[in-house]
Amino acid sequence: MISSKWIKTAVIAAGLGAMVAAAAAGAASEAKGKYYAIKTCKPCHGAGSPNGEVTPLIHTSAQWKAYFAAGKHDKGKEELTKYLTKAQLADVEAFFVNHASDSPQPMTCGG
Amino acid sequence: MRKVVLAGLMVALLMPVGLMAQTNEDLMKQIEALKQQLQSLEAKVAAQEKAVAQEQAAPAPAPALEKEVSNLDARLSKVEVKTSEDRINWGGDLRVGYGYQNWHINPYQQFSGFNPQTHMPMFQQVPGQDWNNSMDWSLRMRLTMNAKVNDNLKFMGRLTMYQLYGGADVPVFNGSPNTVLDSFDSASVPNSDVLHVERALMVYHFTNIPFSFAIGRMNTSDGPPLEIRNESERDGTPMAIMVNAEVDGVHAEYGLKDLGFPDGTTIGMCAGVGYEAGFGGGGQTAESYTMTPFGMARINGMRDSKVIGLIYDMPLMWMAGNTVNSAELILGYNRFNDMTDIPYGALINFPIPGPYAQPSPQYVTATKNLGDMDQYGLTWEHHIGDNFVYFVSGGYIKSHPNGQVSAYGFGGLLGDPNHSQTGSAYYTGVRWKATPKWTLGAEFNHGSKRWYTFTPSAGEESDKLAARGDVWEGYVHWNFNKNVMLKMGYIHYDYSTAYSGWQIAPTNLDSLNLGNNPQLFYPFPKTVKNAYVMLEARF
């Protein structure tokens, strides 16, 4: 005989699981976006690069949204999809938008 | 003439027939080629004429459009001028908090003075008590600012106002050192509606080497892993289990990527001053000083209290399956030299006992240097995907007393002025973002009976990370709209030993077990229950 306590626990767990699944479905991943940005963008756009350093801080969140909506790289000469898939670009966009120049920034002694 | 024509015909008839035919074909080809060139030129001329005609036929810009462009130019010029004149970028947050507190105090013996005949201390037995504060509203406003001075130099700062509802007459001091208002916690002890300078520093990044140097009132409060509990970005450099204070000092940091360490790894060194002893500092002036009735020098024989520290910071990132993992490993060491007994500060409305006593600000200051202390710390944060993070943080201290005791009667370092003592603590927790709007978290920390850490900027009635004992906390954050959240939580403190948060104690800490009817100068709670709700907006 399963006690009502276990039934309640199972129902709550199922509910939380459904919430998480609903939240995860289709949502862009900021963590993955940071990973792709470091692996794909930073090699050519690191600090001191002649191509210009690219970090989330160089644009506002609105500017990043416009940039990814246009989907162009190298001043419009090529598609961003040359480097990342659309799903990966959505992740990178989430990372850049959420850490843009108009978002809260880390405050450490190293600036 | 006829003769000439006939002669020509004769010559022509005498020429080979084949040669005659070839010449005709060449002529025809040349004619055809010329025709094609002529047609091509005619087409080009026609196209040019058409383009010119279209250009001439194009309508002139409408007056309305010209006016709109002119307006846009004027408006953009204003924006450009305003942007160039804005020296500082502002941000901040506003937090309104509501809290409920229950303090349970176990039976203890209250110090009540000295026997005039025997000069021995006297104690009064006090039964167990419960103190409640059912309504504790607070308001905190923080304004963050930064400015780019030039390509290398950056200014950062934060101004904070923090007060309890009911005005500045609210008694705040409760015996915990983080409720003594001083320079190290002025933005974190509720006091008044005055804006305090919590942070103000310059950071200089060198151009061709991964080196930075910072000086001023440093970002030394709310450090890792507190940003997990706050659901914010990292808010300070030192680990919260080691230092959580507004420290005036310097910090130098070197990036180690070029030496083969993971990208973002740094080693930093910092230094600060804990107490400025004035002319008494080095002893030189004191030795040659002539005492006069109106002498200005503050000669108390004390030395400056200094701190120097090292911090190693290593971020990591890797992909496991389809999940991104990111982590941060932080190692730290601090050396506190010539620690004092009491900070110079104000006890906001010290609760003087007696029915007719008027609570009033009470100023205190250091009386003795008590010795040195080594402090070690480690923190590991691990984010799994976007929604789950856990952390583990630990600290260890070792005192080096110099035999001195406080003139206030509060003893020496860690209750033992003559022998080195050690203490330790750990702090762990998890946070899970169940949905984009709901976040759940749980934390636990434990401090040994001699644990001490320098965390006056805790910003709470009881300093959680300085606790000698066990502390549990659970919280729920509701991010009901962008940059706005409702925080609900409960903290349960179970103290083992009195004088949590203090580096001093009047007697050996072994005898100050709160469950064993200890002899105390003032009451320390055995348990504290703190429920809170906070509405926080970030902008």
Side-chain angles (χ1 to χ4, degrees):
Chain A
M1 187 70 181
I2 301 172
S3 69
S4 60
K5 181 181 171 185
W6 285 106
I7 294 173
K8 284 179 186 171
T9 306
V11 169
I12 291 169
L16 288 172
M19 288 164 69
V20 175
S29 167
E30 185 185 317
K32 285 182 182 174
K34 184 177 182 181
Y35 180 83
Y36 296 138
I38 289 173
K39 297 293 180 187
T40 308
C41 309
K42 201 169 181 182
C44 299
H45 292 287
S49 163
N51 304 313
E53 185 179 14
V54 172
T55 74
L57 292 173
I58 65 171
H59 291 312
T60 66
S61 56
Q63 288 171 328
W64 278 123
K65 285 177 184 172
Y67 175 82
F68 283 95
K72 298 289 185 183
H73 180 253
D74 196 11
K75 297 174 182 169
K77 292 177 187 167
E78 57 190 14
E79 300 288 329
L80 279 172
T81 48
K82 180 180 175 184
Y83 298 93
L84 292 166
T85 66
K86 285 186 176 177
Q88 290 170 332
L89 287 170
D91 295 334
V92 176
E93 180 180 354
F95 169 59
F96 278 31
V97 167
N98 291 342
H99 296 272
S101 61
D102 51 341
S103 67
Q105 303 299 322
M107 293 183 75
T108 64
C109 296
Chain B
M1 184 66 182
R2 281 186 177 179
K3 289 180 181 176
V4 175
V5 172
L6 286 172
L9 284 171
M10 288 295 288
V11 172
L13 288 171
L14 289 173
M15 288 178 69
V17 177
L19 181 63
M20 186 74 182
Q22 191 177 359
T23 304
N24 287 340
E25 283 179 5
D26 288 343
L27 286 172
M28 289 304 293
K29 283 180 182 175
Q30 288 177 8
I31 290 169
E32 285 300 318
L34 286 171
K35 280 183 179 176
Q36 287 177 0
Q37 286 180 10
L38 184 61
Q39 287 173 353
S40 175
L41 286 170
E42 285 176 347
K44 285 182 180 176
V45 170
Q48 286 179 351
E49 287 176 346
K50 188 178 178 184
V52 170
Q54 284 178 343
E55 191 176 326
Q56 289 174 344
L65 189 59
E66 280 187 340
K67 190 177 179 183
E68 182 62 23
V69 170
S70 176
N71 286 341
L72 281 173
D73 183 55
R75 287 160 57 192
L76 184 60
S77 294
K78 286 181 181 175
V79 172
E80 286 175 341
V81 170
K82 171 71 176 162
T83 303
S84 65
E85 290 178 348
D86 281 345
R87 303 286 192 271
I88 297 175
N89 298 312
W90 291 92
D93 58 70
L94 184 70
R95 190 185 79 183
V96 179
Y98 172 85
Y100 163 83
Q101 283 190 67
N102 168 267
W103 283 28
H104 176 74
I105 297 164
N106 272 359
Y108 72 102
Q109 300 173 66
Q110 170 71 57
F111 171 75
S112 56
F114 293 93
N115 185 307
Q117 277 80 43
T118 64
H119 303 291
M120 295 296 288
M122 300 185 298
F123 291 92
Q124 171 193 354
Q125 181 62 44
V126 181
Q129 309 169 59
D130 274 288
W131 300 356
N132 291 310
N133 186 349
S134 60
M135 190 185 80
D136 181 8
W137 288 91
S138 65
L139 176 66
R140 188 188 73 180
M141 180 183 73
R142 301 194 298 190
L143 299 175
T144 57
M145 49 188 174
N146 65 75
K148 185 178 176 182
V149 180
N150 56 44
D151 287 342
N152 297 96
L153 188 62
K154 180 182 180 183
F155 162 76
M156 304 173 78
R158 187 154 78 190
L159 306 175
T160 301
M161 183 278 283
Y162 188 24
Q163 75 157 356
L164 295 179
Y165 276 33
D169 296 333
V170 180
V172 170
F173 177 69
N174 63 18
S176 181
N178 68 307
T179 58
V180 179
L181 179 66
D182 60 42
S183 170
F184 296 100
D185 59 17
S186 59
S188 303
V189 178
N191 55 87
S192 72
D193 53 5
V194 172
L195 269 178
H196 292 267
V197 180
E198 184 182 4
R199 299 172 173 189
L201 64 151
M202 295 180 287
V203 186
Y204 192 92
H205 286 268
F206 288 76
T207 302
N208 294 319
I209 51 174
F211 181 70
S212 68
F213 179 81
I215 189 165
R217 173 154 280 215
M218 312 299 285
N219 293 334
T220 45
S221 54
D222 300 325
L226 290 182
E227 78 277 9
I228 294 172
R229 178 189 185 217
N230 293 334
E231 205 170 342
S232 64
E233 296 292 330
R234 182 170 173 175
D235 206 17
T237 291
M239 287 172 268
I241 204 167
M242 296 179 75
V243 171
N244 187 359
E246 299 154 25
V247 179
D248 300 319
V250 296
H251 177 90
E253 191 171 282
Y254 190 80
L256 300 175
K257 183 190 173 190
D258 294 342
L259 300 177
F261 290 80
D263 192 7
T265 304
T266 59
I267 182 87
M269 191 178 82
C270 57
V273 177
Y275 176 77
E276 168 53 54
F279 290 114
Q284 297 301 316
T285 306
E287 287 174 3
S288 61
Y289 178 67
T290 302
M291 188 68 75
T292 61
F294 299 100
M296 297 297 290
R298 180 156 53 98
I299 304 299
N300 53 15
M302 291 185 61
R303 299 175 63 85
D304 294 345
S305 180
K306 304 161 288 281
V307 60
I308 189 164
L310 294 170
I311 184 165
Y312 173 80
D313 220 316
M314 183 174 72
L316 299 166
M317 180 172 269
W318 69 95
M319 185 80 94
N322 194 34
T323 303
V324 170
N325 292 258
S326 61
E328 189 91 15
L329 174 67
I330 309 171
L331 304 173
Y333 166 75
N334 288 326
R335 172 80 175 190
F336 298 102
N337 284 316
D338 295 314
M339 295 179 75
T340 60
D341 51 348
I342 301 277
Y344 177 80
L347 313 180
I348 300 296
N349 293 327
F350 187 74
I352 296 170
Y356 303 108
Q358 298 297 315
S360 61
Q362 184 88 10
Y363 292 96
V364 294
T365 189
T367 65
K368 294 286 182 184
N369 295 114
L370 303 180
D372 309 328
M373 191 177 290
D374 290 314
Q375 185 189 45
Y376 304 85
L378 176 152
T379 293
W380 168 260
E381 297 180 4
H382 183 187
H383 294 255
I384 303 172
D386 287 277
N387 302 321
F388 185 81
V389 57
Y390 72 88
F391 66 87
V392 179
S393 189
Y396 175 83
I397 55 165
K398 183 172 185 180
S399 67
H400 306 283
N402 60 9
Q404 297 289 314
V405 295
S406 166
Y408 289 116
F410 284 114
L413 271 188
L414 301 181
D416 189 341
N418 299 312
H419 302 94
S420 277
Q421 298 290 347
T422 61
S424 60
Y426 62 88
Y427 175 34
T428 184
V430 297
R431 190 190 72 195
W432 177 44
K433 202 164 183 59
T435 76
K437 290 187 182 297
W438 289 93
T439 303
L440 310 175
E443 298 187 350
F444 173 75
N445 63 282
H446 169 82
S448 71
K449 63 185 174 187
R450 290 191 178 84
W451 171 242
Y452 163 76
T453 184
F454 187 58
T455 53
S457 269
E460 299 162 347
E461 288 82 356
S462 302
D463 185 357
K464 169 172 154 160
L465 295 182
R468 292 169 176 154
D470 298 335
V471 183
W472 288 93
E473 179 173 8
Y475 58 82
V476 178
H477 295 171
W478 179 29
N479 292 273
F480 62 92
N481 206 334
K482 187 180 180 185
N483 296 325
V484 187
M485 69 169 75
L486 193 68
K487 296 178 171 179
M488 297 157 280
Y490 173 74
I491 313 178
H492 184 93
Y493 300 75
D494 187 359
Y495 291 99
S496 66
T497 308
Y499 294 94
S500 279
W502 290 104
Q503 72 276 25
I504 48 172
T507 57
N508 192 311
L509 286 159
D510 288 326
S511 65
L512 296 176
N513 186 323
L514 291 168
N516 291 342
N517 196 28
Q519 296 178 339
L520 302 174
F521 273 44
Y522 57 92
F524 283 90
K526 178 69 174 80
T527 62
V528 171
K529 299 170 183 173
N530 181 11
Y532 62 85
V533 179
M534 296 175 182
L535 179 64
E536 185 171 313
R538 296 168 183 168
F539 46 86

